[in-house]
Amino acid sequence: MPRTRRRAAAALLAATALLALTACGTSGGSGSGNGSTARSTVEVRIPDPGNSGVLALGKKDGSLDRALAAVGAKVRWTGSAGPFAPAAQAMNAGQLDIATGSITSGITSLAQRPGFKFFTAVAPDAAGEGILVRNGSGITSVKDLVGKRVAVNQGGTGEYLLLKALARAKIPADRVERVYLRPDQTAAVFNAGQVDAWAVWATYAVAEIGSGKAHFVADGAAIGSDNYSLNAVRTGFAERHPEIVKALYRYLHEASAEEKRNPAAYLNVFTDVGPTAVTGKAKEVQTGFTRQGGTVDPIGPEDIERFRAVAAFYAEQKVTKGRIDVTPHLLDIEKPA
């Protein structure tokens, strides 16, 4: 069994946040072996992490700035977090250097001539992702989804979770209607009863479960999910600034371990009121998911095998045109620079 890992909190509530690094300064180098005596500063552009998670606390207390300063870098907070697919496109275009996403959305993005590699892994979220249904819906098992409409994000975590749940229950995929929606547009549709279920992860599930009006009919453990959370780095940046990528990994690893031990400290970092605050039952749900989750770790051999299983499953389900080879797009973050 693979060692436990923590799903980055930015994937839950933002912890699933995009990060971006870009070099700046007057000399072309940043201390990565170019022989220059002057070391320029590398700006780390990080989209705003929101109100919760490792990056939110790192922004507030300056700990991420301090970690990056040790390798000649600094943070510039900009933009906002978003899905991995557009972030991957931005990395391919040289507009971002680091982004966070799932292996499922990562595989579909790898089919588009990628210019990035994955360098960390957080084990699948057995508790915080799954097939969400409204209380009283009459849906008590995955088999009850036959003939129903299920909201999913196309080619990403939602579609994977639904297809994996159906395969495990031996239900042909065409017996359930997939309704393709953006996750940030799905809650209203789900609560209005326009879809019967929602294949979703913790970022969006926490509020629904916390409301007391919905629950998972099958969670990640029941589904047998291999849906890792990953951090990706633009290939060119990794080649030029390996020491910064390693410093970022160390920060995320240590902070995610602390968050797992004390999840409440990473919630409502800037405010405990308003739409970004997690309160009441939702706060209990979130802290419970976090305690059961994993940490940000290097990608090991056992993880790679599970990545390959997802790629094979996507090809079998015709989500991708063929089996995507993930291996060439992985970095060993523990390898000496």
Side-chain angles (χ1 to χ4, degrees):
M1 292 297 291
R3 57 191 177 278
T4 303
R5 294 182 168 84
R6 168 76 182 93
R7 176 175 299 274
L12 300 173
L13 297 167
T16 35
L18 304 176
L19 305 174
L21 295 97
T22 184
C24 71
T26 56
S27 71
S30 65
S32 56
N34 64 358
S36 173
T37 57
R39 181 178 178 128
S40 63
T41 300
V42 177
E43 267 199 351
V44 185
R45 299 179 304 171
I46 303 178
D48 193 287
N51 193 32
S52 297
V54 165
L55 292 177
L57 191 58
K59 175 183 178 181
K60 183 176 182 179
D61 66 13
S63 57
L64 181 55
D65 271 317
R66 292 190 293 273
L68 293 176
V71 289
K74 66 178 182 180
V75 180
R76 177 159 66 91
W77 300 102
T78 181
S80 59
F84 183 72
Q89 293 173 357
M91 284 191 291
N92 294 344
Q95 297 168 343
L96 289 178
D97 293 302
I98 288 185
T100 301
S102 64
I103 184 59
T104 48
S105 58
I107 285 172
T108 53
S109 296
L110 286 174
Q112 309 297 320
R113 298 174 61 87
F116 60 87
K117 294 181 185 292
F118 297 111
F119 69 98
T120 73
V122 180
D125 190 356
E129 64 180 12
I131 311 299
L132 197 69
V133 298
R134 294 181 301 279
N135 295 347
S137 67
I139 299 173
T140 60
S141 71
V142 172
K143 291 183 179 180
D144 292 332
L145 296 175
V146 171
K148 300 293 195 298
R149 291 162 50 86
V150 182
V152 302
N153 60 313
Q154 187 171 13
T157 293
E159 188 162 29
Y160 169 79
L161 291 172
L162 175 61
L163 292 173
K164 187 77 173 175
L166 296 176
R168 175 162 277 206
K170 299 185 176 3
I171 299 170
D174 61 4
R175 297 194 65 191
V176 176
E177 181 181 352
R178 278 169 270 175
V179 180
Y180 293 122
L181 293 169
R182 276 176 32 190
D184 59 354
Q185 297 177 332
T186 306
V189 176
F190 173 73
N191 286 304
Q194 294 175 296
V195 293
D196 301 290
W198 183 4
V200 67
W201 58 102
T203 302
Y204 302 96
V206 165
E208 302 304 321
I209 296 172
S211 73
K213 298 178 181 179
H215 64 278
F216 284 136
V217 71
D219 61 14
I223 291 169
S225 172
D226 285 320
N227 186 39
Y228 282 76
S229 175
L230 307 174
N231 281 303
V233 58
R234 184 170 61 84
T235 304
F237 188 92
E239 291 171 349
R240 290 182 61 199
H241 308 298
E243 75 287 355
I244 296 176
V245 181
K246 287 177 181 292
L248 180 60
Y249 155 69
R250 288 191 296 269
Y251 179 84
L252 293 172
H253 172 72
E254 293 167 7
S256 65
E258 179 57 33
E259 183 190 30
K260 182 177 171 66
R261 288 189 290 268
N262 185 21
Y266 291 79
L267 293 177
N268 304 329
V269 172
F270 292 99
T271 180
D272 58 5
V273 296
T276 64
V278 184
T279 59
K281 181 66 175 177
K283 188 172 182 178
E284 295 177 23
V285 172
Q286 180 64 78
T287 55
F289 287 166
T290 300
R291 287 194 183 97
Q292 296 177 69
T295 56
V296 176
D297 288 326
I299 297 169
E302 72 280 8
D303 308 317
I304 296 172
E305 288 306 309
R306 295 176 75 178
F307 296 171
R308 289 172 176 159
V310 176
F313 182 74
Y314 260 20
E316 175 188 321
Q317 296 290 326
K318 310 251 186 299
V319 176
T320 56
K321 291 183 179 179
R323 185 181 299 192
I324 305 298
D325 186 2
V326 179
T327 308
H329 308 288
L330 305 177
L331 285 181
D332 182 357
I333 197 63
E334 295 182 312
K335 183 179 180 180

